[in-house]
Amino acid sequence: MDTTLREAAADLLLGRTCAGCGRPGPTVCPGCLEWIAAHGPRIVRPRPTPRGLPMTVASMPYTGPVRGLVHRYKEASAWGLGGLLGERLAWSVVTLLHRCVEDGIWRPGPVVLVPAPSRRMAVLRRGSDVTARLASGAAARIGPATGLPVVSVPLVRMRGRTADQAGLDAGEREANLSGSLVLTRRPVAGAVVVPVDDVITTGATLAEMARVLRQGGLRVLGAATVAATPRDPSVSESPGSARPAGGGPP
Ligand SMILES: [Zn+2]
């Protein structure tokens, strides 16, 4: 089914409600938009920190309306939310790039966003690879906003059977992912790579992606996500350590 038609059909069956708070009205109500606008990108660091996790920027906590937005986008094919979520991911990436320039560890150049791989069953169930979709949306925004060549390339895929990460604790996630990801192909020469995902929880996925990419000889500049599971139990934010780039999302 055409995705616009699918969304319209869902609206017809369920009635239109805000994906963030569930109140009747637009897909994202003014109250939830205000909540989102009150949050900007920050460096996040899960505790315990998985070995090899690169500097990671998330644009908002995975709490409040964000849980509902991400859930409806991923599980109800609400692709209309991709604009908002892609913009937030783009803002995280741009903030990371700014920070790397400020720290003198990177001179602006080509960037390849690498979406966290989805399990095959999830892609079939959802009818789309939602993370790859978000990454492409973010790349399409960052290029024009920064003047840099930025593309999204699915460089990492899952090898064979990997259990769903949901419901696993940090140690179990790390063990589940260990050796489960493989590099698929090489990106444009001279580009740095930035693994991206919708939500960082324990950091196991991004750390394993970084390991595989580095093993393939690629330079991992950092990682970026739309949102981060808030501290307690697993993620702590470090305020002031990354100023959001510019005055707002690209
Ligand atoms: Zn709302």
Side-chain angles (χ1 to χ4, degrees):
M1 197 191 294
D2 173 84
T3 52
T4 321
L5 177 59
R6 194 191 298 208
E7 280 178 52
D11 280 350
L12 189 67
L13 293 172
L14 305 170
R16 263 167 76 82
T17 56
C18 169
C21 64
R23 292 195 185 95
T27 310
V28 189
C29 75
C32 286
L33 279 176
E34 202 175 309
W35 190 97
I36 289 165
H39 294 85
R42 286 160 171 268
I43 291 179
V44 293
R45 197 160 180 79
R47 307 263 181 233
T49 310
R51 212 165 3 132
L53 181 74
M55 175 163 64
T56 303
V57 176
S59 83
M60 48 192 174
Y62 186 57
T63 180
V66 182
R67 297 177 71 95
L69 294 176
V70 171
H71 187 266
R72 194 183 288 186
Y73 175 73
K74 287 171 73 168
E75 304 302 340
S77 309
W79 306 136
L81 291 171
L84 174 66
L85 298 176
E87 185 178 83
R88 298 299 298 204
L89 179 58
W91 199 11
S92 296
V93 174
V94 172
T95 301
L96 172 79
L97 299 180
H98 264 263
R99 169 68 185 247
C100 291
V101 170
E102 273 181 1
D103 288 356
I105 58 173
W106 180 63
R107 278 177 48 194
V111 178
V112 174
L113 305 187
V114 183
S118 300
R119 287 179 311 126
R120 247 175 81 79
M121 288 310 291
V123 174
L124 290 173
R125 191 181 71 240
R126 294 166 179 158
S128 179
D129 186 332
V130 295
T131 314
R133 215 179 161 107
L134 267 184
S136 301
R141 286 175 166 75
I142 300 165
T146 61
L148 297 173
V150 180
V151 291
S152 163
V153 186
L155 288 175
V156 174
R157 68 169 175 80
M158 280 192 179
R159 191 205 308 266
R161 292 186 178 181
T162 307
D164 192 342
Q165 295 284 83
L168 303 182
D169 68 24
E172 289 167 340
R173 284 184 180 220
E174 217 169 323
N176 182 41
L177 280 174
S178 178
S180 68
L181 305 182
V182 283
L183 201 60
T184 56
R185 52 189 158 131
R186 303 292 298 268
V188 218
V192 291
V193 295
V194 176
V196 299
D197 205 352
D198 53 353
V199 179
I200 176 171
T201 304
T202 66
T205 303
L206 292 171
E208 182 63 9
M209 287 177 74
R211 191 187 67 75
V212 168
L213 291 162
R214 288 185 190 119
Q215 206 169 48
L218 299 167
R219 183 177 175 205
V220 179
L221 197 61
T225 65
V226 174
T229 304
R231 71 181 129 192
D232 298 329
S234 59
V235 174
S236 66
E237 296 182 359
S238 41
S241 51
R243 279 201 322 277

